[in-house]
Amino acid sequence: MRKTFNTDGYCDPNYNYMVNLSSRLEQIRGMVDAGQYFTIHRARQYGKTTILTALAEYLRKDYRVISLDFQGISSADFASEQNFVAALSRQILLAAEELPAGVQNDLIHYAEDPARAATLSVLFLSLTRLCENTEKAVVLLIDEVDSATNNQVFLDFLAQLRFYYLKRRRISTFQSVILAGVCDVRNIRRKIRPDEEHKTNSPWNIAADFDVEMSFSSEDIAGMLQEYEADVHTGMDIREMAQLLYDYTSGYPYLVSRLCKLMDERISSDSRIPGEIRAQAWTVVGFQAAMKILLEEPNPLYHSLKRKLEDYPELRKVLYDLLFTGKPVPYTSMTDYIEEAAMFGFIKNVNGTAMISNRVFETVLYNWFIAKEYAENKLYKAGFEEKNQFVAGGHLNVRRILEKFVESFDSLYGDREESFLEEVGRRYFMLFLKPIINGTGNCYVEAETRNHERTDLVIDYRGDQFVIEMKVWRGNAYNERGERQLCEYLDHYHLNKGYMLSFNFNKKKKVGVTEIVIGDRVLVEAVV
């Protein structure tokens, strides 16, 4: 039986197609050899458990590895120090091999009766004896530490680790301790008592920075696809597909694997998928079909994003401004909602500016914001009512979309003041476009071009791509510069036709759609 793409739990190279982790394991090994304690904190479904599982096997030749998972410790086990010691002792007994007899007896004693279990300080004396009486230095790995971070007993556990780390020149202790989870436990926000404010108060200030890149590069993805292609022989252009996957996901491990899994198991073989698309499963056409499924299916990542938007109105506002108006959002890690969104992988820091992490999340956000207002928006209704006229022979007629949008927008909002048009113009075009391409195509904004004056919208529709530059009119000279920029952008997409949508506040403006030729490029320009 051949391997599969896996999105449930950790990946096993014997059963799953996955990127080569060797370089990452070597980097982490260097930190272990140096005796560092650190946290692997990344967003959900970012490959933490996979890397930790692979690391445990990678280190076993030279180290005694104790690999624990705090998912196996219940909330009741954190109710008291004795309960926690008992639960931790049980986990160590299950995970460790050939414990010294004295240490094993201690742990069995601690584990059997929580009511009489030892305190953490006594447990650590036993663990010290373990580190003294073993030929190999001991490395402690703990996955899913998030389940423990709101408990005082966990902070006490970290304090013990810190104490022995600081005394390691005189007392035998762990060579390295690695904690994995979404949260960085160096910055735990705890609320131990109901009447207590959240505080940042972690004893894990000994932890080294973890700078190993966990996201996948296009080269990583290509390596995984090469293994798949050797088994399945699809005839795909591996480099093109790897770059496409990277462009849309920015290397987010779950999203990469999920899209590959959809193309492999759904697009290529599901009888509900049209035959012409199944035959092109590993081309741009198949990729876009997989994207459509990914964007519409229930997904824990999307639910987390929605919760953050509901919990933090400030985050909702800045992302709205970022998406629809191009206003820059400073990346300030001391701001709670920025810190929280970054921790969960929804935004990233690009030269001091907050940016949405990838096109998938960006499209999800567009859909979410638009869904909030489509029922009451007249342009959305206009796009829905007229949608059948914009598709002919399975192809999207973008010029006709622009013509109808100009007509509808000018009729509904043409007499509004400049501040209104500048604020909502681009968003209203996306509201108009949404029902036209919904169910078949997707659209996203190129992050590199998004600003207060210009936004490049890219539409994917049945294997075709269309680039529309949406901008605020700033005079003829600015418009000509925009035309040149659009031509350069068309080169990037290997297209010879592009579109411009200008929001013009000049009272003497000429509303409508025209077509011009620049070299071998055709530009369709719409003005409202």
Side-chain angles (χ1 to χ4, degrees), residues 256-274:
V256 172
S257 296
R258 185 59 185 159
L259 284 166
C260 289
K261 188 177 183 68
L262 288 170
M263 286 185 284
D264 176 43
E265 299 179 11
R266 293 278 297 277
I267 307 304
S268 65
S269 57
D270 192 329
S271 60
R272 293 170 294 180
I273 305 293

Side-chain angles (χ1 to χ4, degrees), residues 40 76 136 228 475:
I40 301 176
K136 299 178 182 178
Y228 172 80

Side-chain angles (χ1 to χ4, degrees), residues 191-197:
K191 190 175 183 179
I192 303 302
R193 297 190 303 272
D195 60 341
E196 185 179 26
E197 294 294 326

Side-chain angles (χ1 to χ4, degrees), residues 34-213:
Q36 294 180 336
Y37 288 25
F38 54 96
T39 303
I40 301 176
H41 62 97
R42 291 294 186 274
R44 287 196 175 99
Q45 297 178 295
Y46 220 92
K48 299 180 295 295
T49 300
T50 295
I51 198 75
L52 215 61
T53 303
L55 180 64
E57 293 303 314
Y58 186 74
L59 295 175
R60 288 192 197 282
K61 179 181 177 182
D62 300 306
Y63 291 100
R64 174 188 281 271
V65 178
I66 300 177
S67 183
L68 311 181
D69 187 337
F70 272 9
Q71 284 187 120
I73 298 181
S74 70
S75 57
D77 293 328
F78 289 105
S80 70
E81 187 171 347
Q82 284 72 26
N83 284 7
F84 179 69
V85 168
L88 192 60
S89 299
R90 288 192 291 270
Q91 284 231 345
I92 295 172
L93 285 167
L94 289 171
E97 300 176 358
E98 300 179 6
L99 291 170
V103 174
Q104 182 165 322
N105 290 336
D106 285 348
L107 294 176
I108 292 173
H109 173 73
Y110 305 152
E112 285 181 343
D113 187 357
R116 298 188 303 158
T119 61
L120 278 166
S121 59
V122 174
L123 171 63
F124 268 81
L125 287 175
S126 297
L127 296 178
T128 298
R129 290 199 296 274
L130 168 63
C131 295
E132 285 176 346
N133 296 290
T134 183
E135 294 181 1
K136 299 178 182 178
V138 181
V139 176
L140 177 64
L141 312 179
I142 304 179
D143 199 6
E144 300 292 344
V145 294
D146 303 80
S147 59
T149 54
N150 205 36
N151 295 277
Q152 181 63 52
V153 68
F154 177 68
L155 297 179
D156 295 340
F157 172 69
L158 293 182
Q160 289 290 320
L161 288 173
R162 181 179 186 274
F163 172 82
Y164 281 93
Y165 173 83
L166 295 176
K167 303 292 184 182
R168 67 191 185 282
R169 304 301 180 204
R170 296 188 294 105
I171 303 174
S172 294
T173 189
F174 300 112
Q175 165 75 15
S176 178
V177 175
I178 306 169
L179 309 180
V182 174
C183 300
D184 183 353
V185 295
R186 293 177 299 181
N187 301 302
I188 294 174
R189 293 194 177 276
R190 66 183 182 93
K191 190 175 183 179
I192 303 302
R193 297 190 303 272
D195 60 341
E196 185 179 26
E197 294 294 326
H198 285 283
K199 296 178 180 178
T200 300
N201 184 21
S202 172
W204 195 242
N205 55 6
I206 56 172
D209 292 333
F210 181 77
D211 295 325
V212 177
E213 182 57 65

Side-chain angles (χ1 to χ4, degrees), residues 231-480:
D231 289 343
V232 184
H233 310 293
T234 69
M236 78 168 88
D237 184 326
I238 291 175
R239 290 293 170 187
E240 178 186 56
M241 184 55 62
Q243 189 62 50
L244 196 59
L245 285 160
Y246 179 80
D247 287 344
Y248 278 75
T249 66
S250 296
Y252 198 117
Y254 170 82
L255 297 176
V256 172
S257 296
R258 185 59 185 159
L259 284 166
C260 289
K261 188 177 183 68
L262 288 170
M263 286 185 284
D264 176 43
E265 299 179 11
R266 293 278 297 277
I267 307 304
S268 65
S269 57
D270 192 329
S271 60
R272 293 170 294 180
I273 305 293
E276 67 272 17
I277 296 179
R278 292 202 305 271
Q280 302 179 75
W282 287 92
T283 68
V284 172
V285 173
F287 176 85
Q288 290 178 4
M291 271 291 296
K292 178 179 177 294
I293 296 172
L294 177 65
L295 291 169
E296 294 176 352
E297 67 183 4
N299 187 310
L301 293 176
Y302 305 161
H303 295 321
S304 294
L305 178 55
K306 179 184 175 182
R307 285 198 300 271
K308 295 307 165 193
L309 294 172
E310 292 170 345
D311 292 344
Y312 294 100
E314 304 96 332
L315 177 64
R316 186 165 64 247
K317 182 181 184 305
V318 297
L319 290 181
Y320 181 93
D321 287 343
L322 178 64
L323 288 170
F324 292 111
T325 71
K327 293 178 181 177
V329 178
Y331 186 97
T332 307
S333 59
M334 297 299 288
T335 304
D336 285 352
Y337 59 84
I338 292 291
E339 186 177 306
E340 192 85 0
M343 181 175 70
F344 281 86
F346 302 134
I347 64 172
K348 58 186 176 181
N349 183 359
V350 179
N351 300 322
T353 300
M355 303 291 288
I356 298 165
S357 294
N358 55 64
R359 290 179 188 171
V360 175
F361 289 159
E362 183 171 287
T363 305
V364 169
L365 283 168
Y366 277 123
N367 292 343
W368 188 81
F369 279 118
I370 287 173
K372 289 290 184 182
E373 58 182 305
Y374 77 88
E376 300 178 358
N377 187 273
K378 295 177 181 178
L379 276 170
Y380 183 94
K381 184 179 180 181
F384 180 81
E385 292 176 346
E386 304 283 351
K387 64 180 181 179
N388 291 333
Q389 68 176 286
F390 303 120
V391 178
H395 296 281
L396 199 63
N397 187 335
V398 177
R399 177 179 180 130
R400 182 59 186 146
I401 291 174
L402 290 175
E403 289 172 342
K404 191 61 182 180
F405 174 75
V406 168
E407 176 186 323
S408 300
F409 189 91
D410 191 59
S411 172
L412 292 169
Y413 307 111
D415 58 349
R416 296 294 186 96
E417 61 185 13
E418 176 176 336
S419 59
F420 169 83
L421 297 176
E422 189 165 1
E423 177 73 18
V424 306
R426 285 174 281 193
R427 174 166 56 91
Y428 276 18
F429 177 70
M430 296 184 73
L431 274 163
F432 181 79
L433 178 65
K434 178 66 176 174
I436 298 171
I437 65 171
N438 194 34
T440 305
N442 298 302
C443 66
Y444 61 89
V445 169
E446 276 294 352
E448 294 83 358
T449 68
R450 183 197 288 114
N451 58 50
H452 195 54
E453 295 185 342
R454 174 190 174 208
T455 296
D456 284 329
L457 181 71
V458 181
I459 302 172
D460 292 330
Y461 193 90
R462 290 188 172 178
D464 294 329
Q465 284 193 311
F466 308 89
V467 177
I468 305 175
E469 181 179 297
M470 300 183 292
K471 62 185 179 63
V472 177
W473 180 275
R474 302 297 188 199
N476 288 325
Y478 177 79
N479 190 63
E480 290 173 1

